[in-house]
Amino acid sequence: QVQLVESGGDLVQVGGSLRLSCAASGSIVSINAMGWYRQAPGKQRELVASITSGGSTNYADSVKGRFTISRDNAKNTVRLQMNSLKPDDTAVYYCNAILRRVGIPGAYAYWGQGTQVTVSS
């Protein structure tokens, strides 16, 4: 089995900062990409940021310059530093990993259970 466990969600005021963390564990051979998605009430889940095993990053336009994604390949963790938070950033944030498992051919996507981020004005 594989588990992705997120932490760091909280209630924060406009302009504040939060750091989300996600740790992947289980029968993992390798992790290709890791990323963060978010889903606000009544909206579709959207990509916030992603990072490859080589460190290449991709950000949604709405968070560029405010959010920074990083990962520790040795620890199978990914973090999202969120600065200058806005009310529109309020959502459940989900960790995602594209990874290979022991004994299973191919790479597949796995999701965490989500962590709530609320930005209060």
Side-chain angles (χ1 to χ4, degrees):
Q1 287 188 344
V2 170
Q3 283 190 318
L4 273 63
V5 178
E6 302 111 331
S7 62
D10 206 344
L11 170 64
V12 65
Q13 291 188 336
V14 169
S17 298
L18 282 176
R19 187 174 72 173
L20 305 183
S21 296
C22 172
S25 62
S27 56
I28 298 170
V29 174
S30 63
I31 301 178
N32 297 349
M34 301 188 80
W36 291 93
Y37 288 71
R38 67 186 180 187
Q39 187 166 19
K43 294 187 178 181
Q44 290 187 331
R45 190 174 297 188
E46 63 176 0
L47 173 68
V48 176
S50 65
I51 185 168
T52 67
S53 58
S56 296
T57 59
N58 181 46
Y59 294 94
D61 287 343
S62 59
V63 307
K64 283 180 180 177
R66 299 188 298 123
F67 291 9
T68 302
I69 190 169
S70 61
R71 67 185 279 181
D72 184 331
N73 291 333
K75 297 181 178 179
N76 289 340
T77 58
V78 63
R79 291 186 173 89
L80 185 69
Q81 178 66 43
M82 305 186 294
N83 299 327
S84 303
L85 284 161
K86 305 175 180 179
D88 284 349
D89 295 319
T90 296
V92 178
Y93 283 69
Y94 296 91
C95 177
N96 169 271
I98 310 296
L99 58 86
R100 296 178 178 273
R101 289 181 55 187
V102 174
I104 298 178
Y108 298 90
Y110 293 82
W111 294 90
Q113 291 187 327
T115 185
Q116 177 70 45
V117 171
T118 303
V119 183
S120 171
S121 57

